[in-house]
Amino acid sequence: MRELLTQLFSTIPLEHPPHISWLAHLALLLSLPLLLILGSRVKGDRMVRGFFLVLLLALYGFFIFLDFSWQTSLPFYHCRLAMLFFLFLKDGSKFKQYWAYLGIIGPIVAFSYPILYQYPFFHITNLSFILLHQLLFYLSAAYLYHQDNRIQLSKRSIQIYSFGLTVVMAIVAAGTGGNYGFLLELPILNTSSLWFNSIFMSLLLALGITGVQGLFLYLKDGDNLVEERLL
């Protein structure tokens, strides 16, 4: 048990992040539609939220007490912010609705282009990367699927939230030198212009949130139509 905990919270990094095979990569992506189906049938429960919170506390406990870095440990990544806001914001608010939408997009992006930490796979950072994204996706899907259709975001609200979030991340990234929100170095495009990356990410976020909102409205309307026919 002691060796297990030592490895789980090790502060000795590897030379390179652990490799994810194509099969593991595919399994991560395929886990999301399964979680979406599960979320459409279950409203989420306290046990899942409790495990989610314990994992989050363990991750930040490691960052704060064992391996703190201004460049990587702050919660200014899209998914980390979504995790915090989703847990602590009051249900029914439009702001929480935004973070729940982001809780759908974030894990899809993370599992499509996984960037693991330079620690063994069985380490709190990498285990949390997998499990927290999956739990965030499930909880967000369950919340959105069972949320009242009247609580929706206008395109203007989505644009304002997306731009405001990106500005905050840009300030933090510029001040710390950390690649928060991929704003200092954008993957795939490999651009390092803070201005370009900020504008690009704001637009991408707004389009993504709008698309996810439309998708959930479509899915919920389809299920309601099936239920009415069955009745």
Side-chain angles (χ1 to χ4, degrees):
M1 183 65 177
R2 187 173 181 178
E3 291 181 2
L4 194 66
L5 289 174
T6 300
Q7 182 178 346
L8 191 63
F9 294 98
S10 170
T11 56
I12 302 174
L14 303 173
E15 290 186 11
H16 304 284
H19 173 70
I20 296 183
S21 68
W22 70 267
L23 192 60
H25 194 171
L26 181 62
L28 289 177
L29 288 171
L30 290 178
S31 71
L32 298 181
L34 295 176
L35 291 169
L36 178 63
I37 294 171
L38 183 61
S40 70
R41 287 160 171 72
V42 184
K43 292 185 178 181
D45 53 56
R46 291 183 179 180
M47 185 176 294
V48 175
R49 286 175 176 264
F51 183 54
F52 187 65
L53 181 58
V54 168
L55 270 177
L56 204 56
L57 289 173
L59 177 65
Y60 280 106
F62 172 78
F63 283 141
I64 293 170
F65 297 109
L66 297 176
D67 193 30
F68 181 78
S69 165
W70 289 106
Q71 286 76 35
T72 59
S73 301
L74 299 179
F76 285 95
Y77 297 96
H78 295 97
C79 284
R80 287 194 200 173
L81 286 171
M83 292 169 192
L84 294 171
F85 280 115
F86 183 84
L87 276 177
F88 299 112
L89 285 175
K90 183 180 178 181
D91 289 358
S93 70
K94 291 189 174 182
F95 196 45
K96 182 164 185 173
Q97 195 86 356
Y98 179 86
W99 290 106
Y101 290 139
L102 195 52
I104 297 296
I105 296 174
I108 295 173
V109 175
F111 288 168
S112 298
Y113 190 82
I115 302 175
L116 297 182
Y117 290 85
Q118 286 187 222
Y119 289 105
F121 183 81
F122 192 80
H123 188 272
I124 188 61
T125 53
N126 290 323
L127 286 179
S128 294
F129 176 85
I130 302 298
L131 295 175
L132 283 174
H133 279 103
Q134 289 177 323
L135 291 173
L136 175 64
F137 188 91
Y138 163 72
L139 289 171
S140 297
Y143 176 80
L144 291 169
Y145 205 90
H146 296 93
Q147 190 69 4
D148 193 327
N149 275 358
R150 291 173 296 180
I151 304 175
Q152 299 302 326
L153 299 174
S154 67
K155 289 183 179 181
R156 181 174 178 80
S157 295
I158 291 173
Q159 292 165 359
I160 291 172
Y161 289 155
S162 299
F163 179 74
L165 170 61
T166 305
V167 167
V168 171
M169 283 185 167
I171 293 172
V172 174
T176 62
N179 192 29
Y180 293 110
F182 299 126
L183 297 181
L184 293 186
E185 185 176 352
L186 199 60
I188 301 177
L189 295 181
N190 295 320
T191 57
S192 56
S193 168
L194 182 60
W195 289 104
F196 173 82
N197 293 347
S198 297
I199 294 171
F200 181 81
M201 287 302 297
S202 293
L203 293 173
L204 202 62
L205 268 178
L207 288 172
I209 297 293
T210 302
V212 171
Q213 179 168 262
L215 173 64
F216 271 88
L217 286 174
Y218 173 78
L219 292 174
K220 290 162 72 175
D221 287 343
D223 277 6
N224 291 335
L225 184 59
V226 170
E227 289 178 5
E228 288 175 4
R229 287 179 177 177
L230 291 174
L231 293 174

